[in-house]
Amino acid sequence: MTTREQAAALDARDPLAPLRELFTLPPGVIYLDGNSLGALPKATPARIARAVEQEWGQGLIASWNNAGWIDLPRRLGDRLAPWIGARAGEVLVADSTSVNLYKVLHAALQLQQGKRKIVVSERSNFPTDNYIAQSVVRSHGGELILADSPEDIPPLLDERCAVLMLTHVNYRSGRMHDMALLTRWAHQAGALAVWDLAHSAGAVPLDLLGAAADFAIGCGYKYLNGGPGAPSFVWMHPRHQGQVWQPLTGWLGHAAPFEFSPEYRPAAGIQQYQCGTPAVLAMTGLDSALDVFDEAAKLGGMGALRAKSLALTEAFIAEIDARVPTAWVATPREAALRGSQVSVALPSDIDSYAVMQALISRGVIGDFRAGTPALLRFGFTPLYTRFVDVVDAVSVLADVLATEAWRTPEFQRRSAVT
Ligand SMILES: Cc1ncc(COP(=O)(O)O)c(C=O)c1O
């Protein structure tokens, strides 16, 4: 257990502490939901206002060229590349994670030329991944096979498996897969590996090229702090360039969109994964958020972020063990298996949804995920979370449980988003 004084001392020694100043965080709020929606970088409102008022308002359509709007998908991809273990020119920012998954999964199945049609994933994968996979396998006459646990995955990697599709850090448990190992096993079986980095990018070390992964996609609005609905990113290993078409063959994925040719001709490389017109204002939010990562790079980069993230999650688990002994920590205690969140299950006679509402009413913002067991999720973005936040959040949780404050009727009312 850590005292508040010890936590404050850890914050005082934290080399990443200055990064918190780059975010707007409401006073009195402990924000532990950056794994779902990252906080607002202070520079973003002025940056978006400039894009609206000057680039759009004054520059009008000329801003596609003069303000570089047309280059945003590639430029942001280049900025993101080092954080995911890719090279400049290999990453594109466009569309949503669901849409990008659709593109890469189709492409991966095409690479198998109809010889293999089975996609293997996990039952506990984020639903959109499995829903998209269901649609893609249906159109290829294939099948989606879901493993019930990570240990059940390797036996499914056989001569029928076309694609192993996994989310690197599980959205419920916060458990992290070994990307290099699973990719190797998939390849040994003749399958391809598609990785969803929604809960990884900006929070844990990633080495797509080192792992020799085939495709990857991920969210811009979680640990990357691009803003609600920020665009997603997509990466393809260069060895697959020019081998297949992604299915959403829009004009901006054409080799020469401004020829306005009636015949589709794919652009080389990752550019082909752009479909239509980029959402410039949303891209601008992500561009601004990546400035924070430039600052993080100066303070130790991903090594420092990961070290702090693990220290925060470890401290949180220790606090839960000490102060909420009836809780079960659903996230692995082994650092190598842990992303940057901790999920906690409470005894079944406690309404976890109401507990989270009670926490939120006291300024501790995490979220709730229904299921068996129902989970309280707490994300620990190393860019702005402090060690005192860990201690204070668990104090509030312990108090909400001890006083049964969660039984208050207003906390039982369900909103559309949990
Ligand atoms: C693993 C994973 N993939 C995808 C998504 C969301 O995709 P989209 O941005 O298309 O809604 C989420 C959202 O939480 C997620 O956790």
Side-chain angles (χ1 to χ4, degrees), residues 22-82:
L22 302 178
F23 288 90
T24 295
L25 291 159
V29 163
I30 298 176
Y31 192 62
L32 302 179
D33 217 357
N35 53 322
S36 203
L37 174 67
L40 170 67
K42 275 186 188 150
T44 296
R47 186 71 173 277
I48 292 181
R50 192 178 77 207
V52 172
E53 291 162 9
Q54 292 176 26
E55 296 174 8
W56 180 15
Q58 302 302 313
L60 291 164
I61 200 163
S63 287
W64 283 109
N65 292 315
N66 297 344
W69 287 352
I70 199 69
D71 303 322
L72 278 168
R74 298 295 293 269
R75 202 165 58 73
L76 298 197
D78 288 352
R79 296 191 74 186
L80 248 174

Side-chain angles (χ1 to χ4, degrees), residues 149-199:
S149 76
E151 292 68 35
D152 293 336
I153 295 170
L156 296 174
L157 301 175
D158 59 18
E159 70 292 343
R160 298 180 319 141
C161 176
V163 180
L164 172 64
M165 175 196 79
L166 291 175
T167 294
H168 181 230
V169 175
N170 187 280
Y171 83 106
R172 276 178 60 81
S173 66
R175 178 180 167 134
M176 183 163 74
H177 285 297
D178 184 333
M179 182 190 288
L181 184 67
L182 281 158
T183 300
R184 189 160 72 241
W185 286 346
H187 289 172
Q188 281 167 359
L192 298 171
V194 170
W195 291 96
D196 182 339
L197 307 180
H199 293 272

Side-chain angles (χ1 to χ4, degrees), residues 93-342:
V93 171
D95 302 316
S96 68
T97 307
S98 307
V99 172
N100 283 331
L101 180 60
Y102 182 83
K103 297 174 198 167
V104 300
L105 208 48
H106 254 289
L109 277 167
Q110 280 175 59
L111 282 167
Q112 295 287 14
Q113 300 176 330
K115 293 178 194 137
R116 295 163 175 242
K117 296 181 178 175
I118 287 178
V119 174
V120 169
S121 193
E122 284 184 282
R123 199 168 302 284
S124 67
N125 200 348
F126 188 73
T128 208
D129 296 59
N130 290 344
Y131 299 163
I132 292 285
Q134 283 164 34
S135 161
V136 175
V137 295
R138 185 184 300 168
S139 65
H140 284 263
E143 194 186 339
L144 173 66
I145 297 186
L146 299 175
D148 286 318
S149 76
E151 292 68 35
D152 293 336
I153 295 170
L156 296 174
L157 301 175
D158 59 18
E159 70 292 343
R160 298 180 319 141
C161 176
V163 180
L164 172 64
M165 175 196 79
L166 291 175
T167 294
H168 181 230
V169 175
N170 187 280
Y171 83 106
R172 276 178 60 81
S173 66
R175 178 180 167 134
M176 183 163 74
H177 285 297
D178 184 333
M179 182 190 288
L181 184 67
L182 281 158
T183 300
R184 189 160 72 241
W185 286 346
H187 289 172
Q188 281 167 359
L192 298 171
V194 170
W195 291 96
D196 182 339
L197 307 180
H199 293 272
S200 310
V204 303
L206 291 165
D207 187 6
L208 287 168
L209 284 166
D214 295 285
F215 296 91
I217 45 127
C219 285
Y221 51 79
K222 296 180 187 291
Y223 293 104
L224 294 175
N225 312 303
S232 154
F233 61 87
V234 52
W235 171 86
M236 165 180 64
H237 195 286
R239 66 177 171 267
H240 298 314
Q241 286 186 10
Q243 304 296 308
V244 283
W245 289 10
Q246 65 92 355
L248 302 178
T249 50
W251 73 301
L252 287 179
H254 190 279
F258 287 88
E259 275 178 10
F260 297 104
S261 149
E263 294 301 325
Y264 183 74
R265 203 171 78 245
I270 200 66
Q271 181 61 40
Q272 205 247 313
Y273 285 73
Q274 188 166 351
C275 181
T277 306
V280 169
L281 299 181
M283 295 257 175
T284 303
L286 183 56
D287 199 17
S288 166
L290 290 172
D291 290 347
V292 174
F293 282 89
D294 286 349
E295 295 308 309
K298 294 177 199 157
L299 297 176
M302 184 44 78
L305 290 174
R306 176 64 171 162
K308 181 176 173 189
S309 157
L310 284 176
L312 288 166
T313 51
E314 204 164 290
F316 185 81
I317 291 171
E319 287 298 295
I320 292 283
D321 286 345
R323 307 193 59 182
V324 193
T326 54
W328 174 65
V329 175
T331 303
R333 288 162 187 271
E334 194 182 331
L337 297 180
R338 194 159 75 235
S340 200
Q341 77 177 56
V342 177

Side-chain angles (χ1 to χ4, degrees), residues 1-12 20 30 319 323 386-393 395:
M1 208 171 130
T2 315
T3 65
R4 202 167 192 289
E5 290 65 36
Q6 287 166 333
L10 288 172
D11 288 326
R20 182 176 166 86
I30 298 176
E319 287 298 295
R323 307 193 59 182
R386 299 168 301 189
F387 289 92
V388 288
D389 296 332
V390 168
V391 173
D392 292 347
S395 293

